[in-house]
Amino acid sequence: TMSGTWMSVSAAEEKPLVDMDQEVEISILLEDESRFMEVDLYLIGEYKEDEFRYLPAYRELVDKDYYALDTDRQRDESVETIAAYIKGGNDIMPDVNLQITNGVGKTNEIPLGLYLIIQNDGNHNSELDKNIIVEAPLYDEEQNIYLYDISLYPKWERSIWFSFRPEVIYPLEIILLLGICTLLCIFST
């Protein structure tokens, strides 16, 4: 027997029930195990009445609820609007701070909801290509199940970094600039 509060998604679509008491885990896996970064997860929506809905403050920002966004472009625009608001000095604390080391980061169990993942200014040698929105639980159409353990493989922009000391990381541009300055000093004497 199963316990908990269950909510059907839609009888017409014959999707399984969502376990409203179940928590989720989100893993972020980078292509290259030598990559590391720090990201923040913000709960920006909830699963309610068989769909994901923005929390009221975010719904007001984008003038439309999440479930009513028809295209990927509309979703991307709404995500960027919300991300800009969060990053804009509005003192919004992340719900989860996630360290990705050796190419892997995983949250502890977190509540169901709509999460926005934003790379923060912490130590990193990779850059996310764009902010990510995650529906948790995530519906897998092929298997007709909801996933409560979600793995993300984000697109990222490769940055080249060098480290002379483990605690200090330098981008390639600084290394090249130091090299040019050294050569100028040598040849100018």
Side-chain angles (χ1 to χ4, degrees), residues 40-184:
D40 293 323
L41 283 73
Y42 296 88
L43 180 64
I44 62 167
E46 60 188 345
Y47 187 80
K48 190 174 181 180
E49 298 174 11
D50 299 338
E51 58 207 358
F52 287 99
R53 297 173 180 262
Y54 284 131
L55 295 175
Y58 302 118
R59 187 173 33 253
E60 289 175 20
L61 283 174
V62 295
D63 296 327
K64 215 172 193 185
D65 216 331
Y66 181 77
Y67 69 88
L69 300 172
D70 298 324
T71 65
D72 288 340
R73 181 173 179 233
Q74 286 178 337
R75 283 197 175 102
D76 287 346
E77 288 172 357
S78 74
V79 164
E80 293 311 313
T81 299
I82 293 170
Y85 176 76
I86 289 171
K87 290 179 183 178
N90 291 298
D91 293 326
I92 299 171
M93 298 300 296
D95 294 277
V96 177
N97 174 267
L98 184 61
Q99 304 283 328
I100 302 169
T101 57
N102 299 321
V104 178
K106 185 171 187 169
T107 66
N108 293 322
E109 291 185 342
I110 56 178
L112 301 181
L114 192 60
Y115 288 90
L116 177 60
I117 300 174
I118 299 175
Q119 182 172 346
N120 68 28
D121 295 331
N123 198 12
H124 63 280
N125 70 354
S126 295
E127 304 261 342
L128 285 179
D129 188 35
K130 63 181 183 175
N131 299 313
I132 303 168
I133 196 159
V134 181
E135 297 174 3
L138 183 63
Y139 179 64
D140 181 337
E141 289 182 31
E142 281 184 25
Q143 298 181 45
N144 193 34
I145 60 172
Y146 279 95
L147 303 174
Y148 297 88
D149 190 359
I150 301 166
S151 295
L152 303 175
Y153 301 87
K155 292 182 181 177
W156 54 284
E157 295 177 2
R158 186 176 294 250
S159 299
I160 301 174
W161 295 75
F162 289 94
S163 181
F164 299 112
R165 299 184 325 224
E167 68 276 8
V168 181
I169 297 171
Y170 303 96
L172 179 61
E173 294 81 9
I174 291 176
I175 301 300
L176 291 175
L177 183 61
L178 289 172
I180 291 170
C181 289
T182 303
L183 288 174
L184 289 174

